[in-house]
């Protein structure tokens, strides 16, 4: 794929860049997305049964087991060229903010430094009542009932992720909006752009005058708003983008 000259010019001259990533960025590492028709998690499981506080109240064992399985999977896969390209881009831009909806920790493992995790981190756990962090020694059990929380007599350990109907972590969303509204270029990469409030960040950036670039093999509700759409897998497009900036 040819990278348009305008995209290279905008990125090369930008002082402030914000990049938002979603599950598509980790697809080439072997982690399933949520909404892809054949392979997405929500094509096999119902979000209401697994990714809501109500599901955890009803059936903590099933929810805990599913998340521990996914946490193990995330720990065993490797970052892909898309993750590494974003870590390199951070080194080239004066002010770079990586905003991710992903909970797999792959951006940090690829070397990204400034990462705002909107939806938490699947490798961690918190008390389901107090929301205080639980140390790793409680997480040796990989399946079955969630361990009791050390912080509350009636509490259970739950994954430190954001479920539907829950607020995003304190302060993180504010920082993400600030970076989006101040940036010269906003990249939206590997996300279906349907989950709020994350999806609103690109719109806020666009309204504030940022040049909006989408990288995704499929079309999304954001595509028509974007100034440039690079249609392809991020593990191929992002390294090419960096290469084009060098040429
Ligand atoms: C590739 C590729 C390759 C493939 N390269 N690309 C306003 C309007 C309507 C509803 C709401 C609203 N405000 C709030 C809501 C409710 C709700 C919501 O957004 N619902 C909509 C779905 C309708 N939001 C919330 O509840 C949020 N909380 C909140 O707003 O609190 C305040 C509040 C509370 C109550 C009432 C009102 C306000 C919380 C959202 C939490 C989302 N949690 C999850 C699970 C996290 C834990 C876990 O991992 O299990 O987060 S859901 C899931 O979706 C996960 C993801 O982070 C998130 C986004 O998915 P993503 O990353 O976009 O993945 P996909 O699969 O959708 O897309 C993948 C894309 O990649 C595709 O486009 C592919 O084409 C592409 N792709 N291969 C590049 N190789």
């Amino acid at each position: 794929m040819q990278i348009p000259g305008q995209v290279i010019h905008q990125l090369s001259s930008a002082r402030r860049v914000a990049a938002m990533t979603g599950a598509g960025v980790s697809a080439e590492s072997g982690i399933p997305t949520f909404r892809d028709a054949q392979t997405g998690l929500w094509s096999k499981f119902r979000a209401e049964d697994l990714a809501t506080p109500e599901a955890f109240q009803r059936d903590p064992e099933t929810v805990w087991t599913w998340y521990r399985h996914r946490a193990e999977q995330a720990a065993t896969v490797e970052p892909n060229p898309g993750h590494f390209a974003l870590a390199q881009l951070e080194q080239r831009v004066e002010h770079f903010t990586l905003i991710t909806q992903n909970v797999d920790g792959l951006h940090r493992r690829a070397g990204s430094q400034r990462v705002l995790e909107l939806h938490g981190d699947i490798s961690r756990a918190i008390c389901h009542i107090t929301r205080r962090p639980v140390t790793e020694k409680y997480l040796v059990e990989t399946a079955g009932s969630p361990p009791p929380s050390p912080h509350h007599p009636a509490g259970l350990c739950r994954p430190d992720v954001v479920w539907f109907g829950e607020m995003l972590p304190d302060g993180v969303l504010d920082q993400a909006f600030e970076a989006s509204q101040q940036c010269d270029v906003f990249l939206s990469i590997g996300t279906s752009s349907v989950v709020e409030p994350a999806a609103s960040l690109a719109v806020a950036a666009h309204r504030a005058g940022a040049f909006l670039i989408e990288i995704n093999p499929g079309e999304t509700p954001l595509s028509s708003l974007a100034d440039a759409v690079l249609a392809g897998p991020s593990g191929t497009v992002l390294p090419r983008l960096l290469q084009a900036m060098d040429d």
Side-chain angles (χ1 to χ4, degrees):
M1 176 217 286
Q2 189 74 16
I3 308 287
Q6 197 192 15
V7 169
I8 301 165
H9 169 73
Q10 287 286 344
L11 257 182
S12 303
S13 55
R15 282 189 61 233
R16 294 179 179 273
V17 174
M20 150 72 81
T21 64
V25 167
S26 295
E28 289 156 272
S29 293
I31 297 190
T33 63
F34 292 92
R35 295 175 185 79
D36 281 299
Q38 306 296 325
T39 54
L41 290 172
W42 298 156
S43 71
K44 300 188 183 76
F45 308 99
R46 276 160 39 94
E48 303 89 310
D49 293 340
L50 293 161
T52 65
E54 294 78 19
F56 187 76
Q57 290 284 354
R58 260 193 323 269
D59 187 353
E61 204 163 301
T62 297
V63 173
W64 179 254
T65 300
W66 192 66
Y67 275 95
R68 290 314 295 162
H69 167 75
R70 287 180 50 215
E72 277 185 358
Q73 181 188 41
T76 52
V77 302
E78 296 298 328
N80 67 56
H83 295 108
F84 289 116
L86 284 168
Q88 286 172 34
L89 190 58
E90 181 173 14
Q91 300 304 317
R92 298 180 181 205
V93 176
E94 204 176 325
H95 300 283
F96 184 86
T97 305
L98 183 52
I99 307 162
T100 188
Q101 298 169 79
N102 298 343
V103 297
D104 54 35
L106 289 176
H107 285 303
R108 287 188 196 281
R109 282 175 55 200
S112 286
Q113 308 277 318
R114 181 168 159 69
V115 185
L116 300 176
E117 291 171 324
L118 293 181
H119 293 162
D121 178 337
I122 202 167
S123 72
R124 299 189 305 243
I126 52 174
C127 170
H128 96 286
I129 294 175
T130 65
R131 301 192 77 93
R132 284 175 61 194
V134 173
T135 55
E136 275 193 10
K137 67 178 177 174
Y138 288 90
L139 306 181
V140 283
E141 286 299 323
T142 54
S145 303
S149 159
H151 303 305
H152 192 285
L156 295 172
C157 293
R158 59 156 278 185
D160 187 6
V161 298
V162 180
W163 285 326
F164 285 112
E166 293 188 318
M167 304 299 278
L168 276 59
D170 265 358
V172 175
L173 186 62
D174 292 340
Q175 290 179 58
F177 266 108
E178 196 178 313
S180 304
Q181 285 165 330
Q182 290 180 353
C183 69
D184 306 307
V185 173
F186 187 99
L187 292 148
S188 176
I189 313 163
T191 174
S192 57
S193 297
V194 296
V195 172
E196 294 292 352
S200 293
L201 292 168
V203 179
H206 175 76
R207 284 197 187 130
F211 187 83
L212 187 57
I213 304 169
E214 181 174 62
I215 300 175
N216 198 314
E219 211 175 313
T220 78
L222 194 69
S223 307
S224 57
L225 198 68
D227 296 293
V229 175
L230 306 180
S234 48
T236 307
V237 174
L238 282 166
R240 275 196 200 156
L241 191 53
L242 256 74
Q243 183 63 50
M245 287 168 74
D246 283 340
D247 291 345

